[in-house]
Amino acid sequence: MSKAKVEKRSKVMKPFIKYVNVRHVFPTRYVVDLDVKKVIDEADLVDPEKKTDVKKNLKKLFEDRYLNQKEVTSEKKAAGSAYFFQKLRF
Protein backbone atom coordinates (compact mmCIF):
# COMPACT_ATOMS: atom_id res chain seq x y z
CA MET A 1 0.00 0.00 0.00
CA SER A 2 1.09 3.53 -0.56
CA LYS A 3 2.14 5.73 2.34
CA ALA A 4 -0.90 8.00 1.93
CA LYS A 5 -3.27 5.03 2.05
CA VAL A 6 -1.62 3.69 5.22
CA GLU A 7 -1.90 7.10 6.91
CA LYS A 8 -5.57 7.39 5.90
CA ARG A 9 -6.42 3.97 7.30
CA SER A 10 -4.55 4.62 10.55
CA LYS A 11 -6.68 7.68 11.40
CA VAL A 12 -9.42 5.39 12.70
CA MET A 13 -8.01 5.13 16.23
CA LYS A 14 -10.22 6.51 18.99
CA PRO A 15 -8.38 6.66 22.30
CA PHE A 16 -10.20 6.78 25.61
CA ILE A 17 -9.13 7.53 29.14
CA LYS A 18 -10.24 5.44 32.08
CA TYR A 19 -9.17 5.10 35.70
CA VAL A 20 -8.04 1.54 36.38
CA ASN A 21 -7.16 -0.12 39.66
CA VAL A 22 -3.55 -1.27 39.39
CA ARG A 23 -4.38 -4.53 41.13
CA HIS A 24 -6.66 -5.51 38.23
CA VAL A 25 -4.02 -5.11 35.53
CA PHE A 26 -2.63 -8.42 34.33
CA PRO A 27 1.11 -8.33 33.61
CA THR A 28 2.31 -9.74 30.29
CA ARG A 29 5.68 -10.41 28.75
CA TYR A 30 5.19 -7.59 26.24
CA VAL A 31 6.68 -4.12 26.74
CA VAL A 32 5.60 -1.00 24.88
CA ASP A 33 7.79 2.08 25.13
CA LEU A 34 4.99 4.66 25.17
CA ASP A 35 5.38 7.32 27.84
CA VAL A 36 1.73 8.13 28.45
CA LYS A 37 2.32 9.87 31.78
CA LYS A 38 3.83 12.85 29.96
CA VAL A 39 0.59 13.37 28.02
CA ILE A 40 -1.97 12.61 30.74
CA ASP A 41 -2.24 14.63 33.93
CA GLU A 42 -4.94 13.82 36.48
CA ALA A 43 -5.80 17.50 36.95
CA ASP A 44 -6.66 17.78 33.26
CA LEU A 45 -9.20 14.95 33.46
CA VAL A 46 -11.60 16.97 35.62
CA ASP A 47 -12.36 19.65 33.03
CA PRO A 48 -14.17 18.29 29.91
CA GLU A 49 -12.39 20.70 27.53
CA LYS A 50 -8.95 19.74 28.82
CA LYS A 51 -9.93 16.09 28.65
CA THR A 52 -10.63 16.37 24.92
CA ASP A 53 -7.22 18.03 24.43
CA VAL A 54 -5.58 15.17 26.33
CA LYS A 55 -7.38 12.66 24.11
CA LYS A 56 -6.16 14.47 20.98
CA ASN A 57 -2.58 14.45 22.24
CA LEU A 58 -2.89 10.78 23.16
CA LYS A 59 -4.23 9.97 19.69
CA LYS A 60 -1.30 11.80 18.11
CA LEU A 61 1.14 9.83 20.30
CA PHE A 62 -0.47 6.50 19.35
CA GLU A 63 -0.54 7.36 15.62
CA ASP A 64 3.12 8.39 15.62
CA ARG A 65 4.10 5.18 17.37
CA TYR A 66 1.92 3.06 15.08
CA LEU A 67 3.34 4.56 11.89
CA ASN A 68 6.95 4.33 13.15
CA GLN A 69 6.97 0.75 14.44
CA LYS A 70 10.03 -0.22 12.46
CA GLU A 71 12.22 2.42 14.11
CA VAL A 72 12.26 0.57 17.45
CA THR A 73 15.75 -0.52 18.46
CA SER A 74 14.99 -3.35 20.89
CA GLU A 75 13.45 -6.63 19.72
CA LYS A 76 11.46 -6.93 22.95
CA LYS A 77 9.91 -3.49 22.48
CA ALA A 78 9.22 -4.20 18.82
CA ALA A 79 7.35 -7.38 19.74
CA GLY A 80 5.42 -5.45 22.39
CA SER A 81 4.35 -2.74 19.98
CA ALA A 82 3.30 -5.32 17.39
CA TYR A 83 1.18 -7.03 20.07
CA PHE A 84 -0.25 -3.70 21.29
CA PHE A 85 -1.42 -2.62 17.84
CA GLN A 86 -2.72 -6.05 16.80
CA LYS A 87 -6.41 -6.29 15.97
CA LEU A 88 -8.42 -7.99 18.72
CA ARG A 89 -10.19 -11.21 17.74
CA PHE A 90 -13.39 -11.95 19.62
PDB file of all heavy atoms in Angstrom, residues 32-59:
ATOM      1  N   VAL A  32       5.782  -2.048  25.870  1.00  0.00           N
ATOM      2  CA  VAL A  32       5.599  -0.996  24.881  1.00  0.00           C
ATOM      3  C   VAL A  32       6.249   0.255  25.442  1.00  0.00           C
ATOM      4  O   VAL A  32       6.029   0.608  26.593  1.00  0.00           O
ATOM      5  CB  VAL A  32       4.105  -0.746  24.592  1.00  0.00           C
ATOM      6  CG1 VAL A  32       3.931   0.339  23.560  1.00  0.00           C
ATOM      7  CG2 VAL A  32       3.446  -2.021  24.128  1.00  0.00           C
ATOM      8  N   ASP A  33       7.042   0.918  24.644  1.00  0.00           N
ATOM      9  CA  ASP A  33       7.793   2.079  25.131  1.00  0.00           C
ATOM     10  C   ASP A  33       7.044   3.386  24.867  1.00  0.00           C
ATOM     11  O   ASP A  33       7.590   4.332  24.341  1.00  0.00           O
ATOM     12  CB  ASP A  33       9.182   2.115  24.527  1.00  0.00           C
ATOM     13  CG  ASP A  33       9.158   2.159  23.015  1.00  0.00           C
ATOM     14  OD1 ASP A  33       8.127   1.799  22.445  1.00  0.00           O
ATOM     15  OD2 ASP A  33      10.169   2.552  22.420  1.00  0.00           O
ATOM     16  N   LEU A  34       5.782   3.434  25.263  1.00  0.00           N
ATOM     17  CA  LEU A  34       4.992   4.662  25.171  1.00  0.00           C
ATOM     18  C   LEU A  34       4.995   5.332  26.541  1.00  0.00           C
ATOM     19  O   LEU A  34       4.642   4.711  27.537  1.00  0.00           O
ATOM     20  CB  LEU A  34       3.546   4.353  24.781  1.00  0.00           C
ATOM     21  CG  LEU A  34       3.317   3.872  23.365  1.00  0.00           C
ATOM     22  CD1 LEU A  34       1.870   3.451  23.198  1.00  0.00           C
ATOM     23  CD2 LEU A  34       3.640   4.964  22.379  1.00  0.00           C
ATOM     24  N   ASP A  35       5.383   6.592  26.585  1.00  0.00           N
ATOM     25  CA  ASP A  35       5.383   7.319  27.844  1.00  0.00           C
ATOM     26  C   ASP A  35       4.104   8.139  27.922  1.00  0.00           C
ATOM     27  O   ASP A  35       4.063   9.302  27.537  1.00  0.00           O
ATOM     28  CB  ASP A  35       6.620   8.207  27.957  1.00  0.00           C
ATOM     29  CG  ASP A  35       6.850   8.674  29.374  1.00  0.00           C
ATOM     30  OD1 ASP A  35       6.162   8.165  30.283  1.00  0.00           O
ATOM     31  OD2 ASP A  35       7.713   9.544  29.572  1.00  0.00           O
ATOM     32  N   VAL A  36       3.061   7.518  28.422  1.00  0.00           N
ATOM     33  CA  VAL A  36       1.731   8.127  28.455  1.00  0.00           C
ATOM     34  C   VAL A  36       1.612   9.141  29.590  1.00  0.00           C
ATOM     35  O   VAL A  36       0.828  10.074  29.518  1.00  0.00           O
ATOM     36  CB  VAL A  36       0.657   7.026  28.574  1.00  0.00           C
ATOM     37  CG1 VAL A  36      -0.733   7.611  28.594  1.00  0.00           C
ATOM     38  CG2 VAL A  36       0.783   6.051  27.422  1.00  0.00           C
ATOM     39  N   LYS A  37       2.415   8.979  30.632  1.00  0.00           N
ATOM     40  CA  LYS A  37       2.318   9.871  31.784  1.00  0.00           C
ATOM     41  C   LYS A  37       2.710  11.305  31.441  1.00  0.00           C
ATOM     42  O   LYS A  37       2.294  12.227  32.124  1.00  0.00           O
ATOM     43  CB  LYS A  37       3.182   9.357  32.928  1.00  0.00           C
ATOM     44  CG  LYS A  37       2.625   8.110  33.568  1.00  0.00           C
ATOM     45  CD  LYS A  37       3.396   7.713  34.775  1.00  0.00           C
ATOM     46  CE  LYS A  37       2.781   6.483  35.414  1.00  0.00           C
ATOM     47  NZ  LYS A  37       3.477   6.110  36.636  1.00  0.00           N
ATOM     48  N   LYS A  38       3.486  11.495  30.387  1.00  0.00           N
ATOM     49  CA  LYS A  38       3.829  12.852  29.958  1.00  0.00           C
ATOM     50  C   LYS A  38       2.623  13.558  29.333  1.00  0.00           C
ATOM     51  O   LYS A  38       2.504  14.766  29.403  1.00  0.00           O
ATOM     52  CB  LYS A  38       4.974  12.831  28.949  1.00  0.00           C
ATOM     53  CG  LYS A  38       6.307  12.479  29.544  1.00  0.00           C
ATOM     54  CD  LYS A  38       7.385  12.543  28.500  1.00  0.00           C
ATOM     55  CE  LYS A  38       8.731  12.203  29.076  1.00  0.00           C
ATOM     56  NZ  LYS A  38       9.781  12.200  28.050  1.00  0.00           N
ATOM     57  N   VAL A  39       1.742  12.806  28.718  1.00  0.00           N
ATOM     58  CA  VAL A  39       0.593  13.369  28.020  1.00  0.00           C
ATOM     59  C   VAL A  39      -0.598  13.555  28.961  1.00  0.00           C
ATOM     60  O   VAL A  39      -1.310  14.549  28.885  1.00  0.00           O
ATOM     61  CB  VAL A  39       0.196  12.458  26.834  1.00  0.00           C
ATOM     62  CG1 VAL A  39      -1.021  12.993  26.129  1.00  0.00           C
ATOM     63  CG2 VAL A  39       1.356  12.319  25.876  1.00  0.00           C
ATOM     64  N   ILE A  40      -0.797  12.592  29.877  1.00  0.00           N
ATOM     65  CA  ILE A  40      -1.973  12.606  30.741  1.00  0.00           C
ATOM     66  C   ILE A  40      -1.611  13.137  32.123  1.00  0.00           C
ATOM     67  O   ILE A  40      -0.668  12.663  32.752  1.00  0.00           O
ATOM     68  CB  ILE A  40      -2.564  11.187  30.881  1.00  0.00           C
ATOM     69  CG1 ILE A  40      -2.999  10.673  29.512  1.00  0.00           C
ATOM     70  CG2 ILE A  40      -3.733  11.181  31.839  1.00  0.00           C
ATOM     71  CD1 ILE A  40      -3.468   9.260  29.525  1.00  0.00           C
ATOM     72  N   ASP A  41      -2.372  14.111  32.581  1.00  0.00           N
ATOM     73  CA  ASP A  41      -2.244  14.634  33.935  1.00  0.00           C
ATOM     74  C   ASP A  41      -3.616  14.521  34.587  1.00  0.00           C
ATOM     75  O   ASP A  41      -4.637  14.853  33.974  1.00  0.00           O
ATOM     76  CB  ASP A  41      -1.783  16.097  33.906  1.00  0.00           C
ATOM     77  CG  ASP A  41      -1.496  16.639  35.277  1.00  0.00           C
ATOM     78  OD1 ASP A  41      -1.234  15.823  36.188  1.00  0.00           O
ATOM     79  OD2 ASP A  41      -1.529  17.871  35.446  1.00  0.00           O
ATOM     80  N   GLU A  42      -3.658  14.047  35.826  1.00  0.00           N
ATOM     81  CA  GLU A  42      -4.943  13.821  36.483  1.00  0.00           C
ATOM     82  C   GLU A  42      -5.749  15.100  36.658  1.00  0.00           C
ATOM     83  O   GLU A  42      -6.980  15.069  36.655  1.00  0.00           O
ATOM     84  CB  GLU A  42      -4.725  13.149  37.836  1.00  0.00           C
ATOM     85  CG  GLU A  42      -4.300  11.707  37.715  1.00  0.00           C
ATOM     86  CD  GLU A  42      -4.267  11.013  39.058  1.00  0.00           C
ATOM     87  OE1 GLU A  42      -5.094  11.348  39.924  1.00  0.00           O
ATOM     88  OE2 GLU A  42      -3.424  10.134  39.230  1.00  0.00           O
ATOM     89  N   ALA A  43      -5.089  16.231  36.791  1.00  0.00           N
ATOM     90  CA  ALA A  43      -5.796  17.497  36.954  1.00  0.00           C
ATOM     91  C   ALA A  43      -6.545  17.888  35.670  1.00  0.00           C
ATOM     92  O   ALA A  43      -7.582  18.552  35.728  1.00  0.00           O
ATOM     93  CB  ALA A  43      -4.823  18.591  37.345  1.00  0.00           C
ATOM     94  N   ASP A  44      -6.018  17.467  34.535  1.00  0.00           N
ATOM     95  CA  ASP A  44      -6.661  17.781  33.256  1.00  0.00           C
ATOM     96  C   ASP A  44      -7.910  16.941  33.000  1.00  0.00           C
ATOM     97  O   ASP A  44      -8.723  17.281  32.146  1.00  0.00           O
ATOM     98  CB  ASP A  44      -5.681  17.585  32.102  1.00  0.00           C
ATOM     99  CG  ASP A  44      -4.553  18.588  32.136  1.00  0.00           C
ATOM    100  OD1 ASP A  44      -4.734  19.653  32.766  1.00  0.00           O
ATOM    101  OD2 ASP A  44      -3.502  18.317  31.532  1.00  0.00           O
ATOM    102  N   LEU A  45      -8.071  15.841  33.707  1.00  0.00           N
ATOM    103  CA  LEU A  45      -9.200  14.952  33.460  1.00  0.00           C
ATOM    104  C   LEU A  45     -10.496  15.440  34.108  1.00  0.00           C
ATOM    105  O   LEU A  45     -11.566  14.925  33.818  1.00  0.00           O
ATOM    106  CB  LEU A  45      -8.873  13.543  33.952  1.00  0.00           C
ATOM    107  CG  LEU A  45      -7.679  12.883  33.268  1.00  0.00           C
ATOM    108  CD1 LEU A  45      -7.452  11.502  33.850  1.00  0.00           C
ATOM    109  CD2 LEU A  45      -7.874  12.798  31.771  1.00  0.00           C
ATOM    110  N   VAL A  46     -10.404  16.443  34.954  1.00  0.00           N
ATOM    111  CA  VAL A  46     -11.601  16.967  35.617  1.00  0.00           C
ATOM    112  C   VAL A  46     -12.395  17.867  34.676  1.00  0.00           C
ATOM    113  O   VAL A  46     -13.618  17.768  34.591  1.00  0.00           O
ATOM    114  CB  VAL A  46     -11.206  17.740  36.897  1.00  0.00           C
ATOM    115  CG1 VAL A  46     -12.427  18.330  37.565  1.00  0.00           C
ATOM    116  CG2 VAL A  46     -10.462  16.819  37.850  1.00  0.00           C
ATOM    117  N   ASP A  47     -11.705  18.707  33.941  1.00  0.00           N
ATOM    118  CA  ASP A  47     -12.357  19.646  33.027  1.00  0.00           C
ATOM    119  C   ASP A  47     -12.620  18.957  31.683  1.00  0.00           C
ATOM    120  O   ASP A  47     -11.711  18.377  31.093  1.00  0.00           O
ATOM    121  CB  ASP A  47     -11.444  20.867  32.818  1.00  0.00           C
ATOM    122  CG  ASP A  47     -12.099  21.937  31.982  1.00  0.00           C
ATOM    123  OD1 ASP A  47     -13.335  22.007  31.972  1.00  0.00           O
ATOM    124  OD2 ASP A  47     -11.363  22.723  31.353  1.00  0.00           O
ATOM    125  N   PRO A  48     -13.864  18.981  31.181  1.00  0.00           N
ATOM    126  CA  PRO A  48     -14.172  18.293  29.908  1.00  0.00           C
ATOM    127  C   PRO A  48     -13.395  18.835  28.710  1.00  0.00           C
ATOM    128  O   PRO A  48     -13.024  18.076  27.816  1.00  0.00           O
ATOM    129  CB  PRO A  48     -15.669  18.532  29.729  1.00  0.00           C
ATOM    130  CG  PRO A  48     -16.193  18.916  31.051  1.00  0.00           C
ATOM    131  CD  PRO A  48     -15.062  19.537  31.806  1.00  0.00           C
ATOM    132  N   GLU A  49     -13.134  20.144  28.660  1.00  0.00           N
ATOM    133  CA  GLU A  49     -12.391  20.704  27.532  1.00  0.00           C
ATOM    134  C   GLU A  49     -10.942  20.237  27.537  1.00  0.00           C
ATOM    135  O   GLU A  49     -10.371  19.897  26.493  1.00  0.00           O
ATOM    136  CB  GLU A  49     -12.452  22.226  27.574  1.00  0.00           C
ATOM    137  CG  GLU A  49     -13.837  22.781  27.324  1.00  0.00           C
ATOM    138  CD  GLU A  49     -13.882  24.293  27.449  1.00  0.00           C
ATOM    139  OE1 GLU A  49     -12.816  24.916  27.590  1.00  0.00           O
ATOM    140  OE2 GLU A  49     -14.988  24.849  27.388  1.00  0.00           O
ATOM    141  N   LYS A  50     -10.337  20.212  28.712  1.00  0.00           N
ATOM    142  CA  LYS A  50      -8.951  19.741  28.816  1.00  0.00           C
ATOM    143  C   LYS A  50      -8.863  18.248  28.544  1.00  0.00           C
ATOM    144  O   LYS A  50      -7.867  17.765  28.015  1.00  0.00           O
ATOM    145  CB  LYS A  50      -8.379  20.057  30.197  1.00  0.00           C
ATOM    146  CG  LYS A  50      -8.139  21.529  30.428  1.00  0.00           C
ATOM    147  CD  LYS A  50      -7.517  21.763  31.773  1.00  0.00           C
ATOM    148  CE  LYS A  50      -7.288  23.244  32.023  1.00  0.00           C
ATOM    149  NZ  LYS A  50      -6.713  23.484  33.355  1.00  0.00           N
ATOM    150  N   LYS A  51      -9.917  17.521  28.889  1.00  0.00           N
ATOM    151  CA  LYS A  51      -9.930  16.088  28.650  1.00  0.00           C
ATOM    152  C   LYS A  51      -9.923  15.785  27.151  1.00  0.00           C
ATOM    153  O   LYS A  51      -9.245  14.862  26.708  1.00  0.00           O
ATOM    154  CB  LYS A  51     -11.160  15.462  29.311  1.00  0.00           C
ATOM    155  CG  LYS A  51     -11.145  13.964  29.337  1.00  0.00           C
ATOM    156  CD  LYS A  51     -12.292  13.425  30.160  1.00  0.00           C
ATOM    157  CE  LYS A  51     -12.272  11.923  30.199  1.00  0.00           C
ATOM    158  NZ  LYS A  51     -13.361  11.373  31.002  1.00  0.00           N
ATOM    159  N   THR A  52     -10.646  16.578  26.368  1.00  0.00           N
ATOM    160  CA  THR A  52     -10.625  16.370  24.916  1.00  0.00           C
ATOM    161  C   THR A  52      -9.247  16.694  24.340  1.00  0.00           C
ATOM    162  O   THR A  52      -8.790  16.017  23.417  1.00  0.00           O
ATOM    163  CB  THR A  52     -11.692  17.222  24.219  1.00  0.00           C
ATOM    164  OG1 THR A  52     -11.499  18.592  24.548  1.00  0.00           O
ATOM    165  CG2 THR A  52     -13.086  16.792  24.623  1.00  0.00           C
ATOM    166  N   ASP A  53      -8.573  17.713  24.888  1.00  0.00           N
ATOM    167  CA  ASP A  53      -7.216  18.028  24.435  1.00  0.00           C
ATOM    168  C   ASP A  53      -6.248  16.890  24.771  1.00  0.00           C
ATOM    169  O   ASP A  53      -5.373  16.549  23.970  1.00  0.00           O
ATOM    170  CB  ASP A  53      -6.719  19.328  25.072  1.00  0.00           C
ATOM    171  CG  ASP A  53      -7.477  20.536  24.569  1.00  0.00           C
ATOM    172  OD1 ASP A  53      -8.059  20.455  23.457  1.00  0.00           O
ATOM    173  OD2 ASP A  53      -7.480  21.565  25.276  1.00  0.00           O
ATOM    174  N   VAL A  54      -6.426  16.299  25.940  1.00  0.00           N
ATOM    175  CA  VAL A  54      -5.583  15.167  26.334  1.00  0.00           C
ATOM    176  C   VAL A  54      -5.819  13.990  25.396  1.00  0.00           C
ATOM    177  O   VAL A  54      -4.870  13.318  24.972  1.00  0.00           O
ATOM    178  CB  VAL A  54      -5.863  14.777  27.803  1.00  0.00           C
ATOM    179  CG1 VAL A  54      -5.204  13.458  28.156  1.00  0.00           C
ATOM    180  CG2 VAL A  54      -5.387  15.863  28.739  1.00  0.00           C
ATOM    181  N   LYS A  55      -7.072  13.750  25.031  1.00  0.00           N
ATOM    182  CA  LYS A  55      -7.385  12.658  24.105  1.00  0.00           C
ATOM    183  C   LYS A  55      -6.760  12.898  22.734  1.00  0.00           C
ATOM    184  O   LYS A  55      -6.249  11.976  22.099  1.00  0.00           O
ATOM    185  CB  LYS A  55      -8.901  12.497  23.950  1.00  0.00           C
ATOM    186  CG  LYS A  55      -9.573  11.852  25.124  1.00  0.00           C
ATOM    187  CD  LYS A  55     -11.049  11.699  24.835  1.00  0.00           C
ATOM    188  CE  LYS A  55     -11.817  11.199  26.004  1.00  0.00           C
ATOM    189  NZ  LYS A  55     -13.250  11.091  25.733  1.00  0.00           N
ATOM    190  N   LYS A  56      -6.780  14.148  22.266  1.00  0.00           N
ATOM    191  CA  LYS A  56      -6.163  14.466  20.975  1.00  0.00           C
ATOM    192  C   LYS A  56      -4.664  14.246  21.019  1.00  0.00           C
ATOM    193  O   LYS A  56      -4.076  13.693  20.073  1.00  0.00           O
ATOM    194  CB  LYS A  56      -6.476  15.905  20.588  1.00  0.00           C
ATOM    195  CG  LYS A  56      -7.907  16.124  20.169  1.00  0.00           C
ATOM    196  CD  LYS A  56      -8.173  17.570  19.843  1.00  0.00           C
ATOM    197  CE  LYS A  56      -9.645  17.825  19.549  1.00  0.00           C
ATOM    198  NZ  LYS A  56      -9.923  19.238  19.298  1.00  0.00           N
ATOM    199  N   ASN A  57      -4.017  14.654  22.109  1.00  0.00           N
ATOM    200  CA  ASN A  57      -2.575  14.451  22.243  1.00  0.00           C
ATOM    201  C   ASN A  57      -2.243  12.966  22.339  1.00  0.00           C
ATOM    202  O   ASN A  57      -1.239  12.504  21.784  1.00  0.00           O
ATOM    203  CB  ASN A  57      -2.044  15.188  23.468  1.00  0.00           C
ATOM    204  CG  ASN A  57      -2.102  16.682  23.306  1.00  0.00           C
ATOM    205  OD1 ASN A  57      -2.142  17.189  22.188  1.00  0.00           O
ATOM    206  ND2 ASN A  57      -2.132  17.399  24.410  1.00  0.00           N
ATOM    207  N   LEU A  58      -3.088  12.214  23.034  1.00  0.00           N
ATOM    208  CA  LEU A  58      -2.890  10.779  23.155  1.00  0.00           C
ATOM    209  C   LEU A  58      -3.049  10.089  21.799  1.00  0.00           C
ATOM    210  O   LEU A  58      -2.281   9.191  21.451  1.00  0.00           O
ATOM    211  CB  LEU A  58      -3.887  10.211  24.164  1.00  0.00           C
ATOM    212  CG  LEU A  58      -3.685   8.794  24.629  1.00  0.00           C
ATOM    213  CD1 LEU A  58      -2.351   8.658  25.345  1.00  0.00           C
ATOM    214  CD2 LEU A  58      -4.810   8.388  25.557  1.00  0.00           C
ATOM    215  N   LYS A  59      -4.030  10.530  21.021  1.00  0.00           N
ATOM    216  CA  LYS A  59      -4.233   9.965  19.689  1.00  0.00           C
ATOM    217  C   LYS A  59      -3.021  10.242  18.806  1.00  0.00           C
ATOM    218  O   LYS A  59      -2.560   9.363  18.077  1.00  0.00           O
ATOM    219  CB  LYS A  59      -5.493  10.566  19.052  1.00  0.00           C
ATOM    220  CG  LYS A  59      -5.771  10.020  17.674  1.00  0.00           C
ATOM    221  CD  LYS A  59      -7.041  10.578  17.101  1.00  0.00           C
ATOM    222  CE  LYS A  59      -7.264   9.998  15.717  1.00  0.00           C
ATOM    223  NZ  LYS A  59      -8.528  10.411  15.139  1.00  0.00           N
TER     224      LYS A  59
END
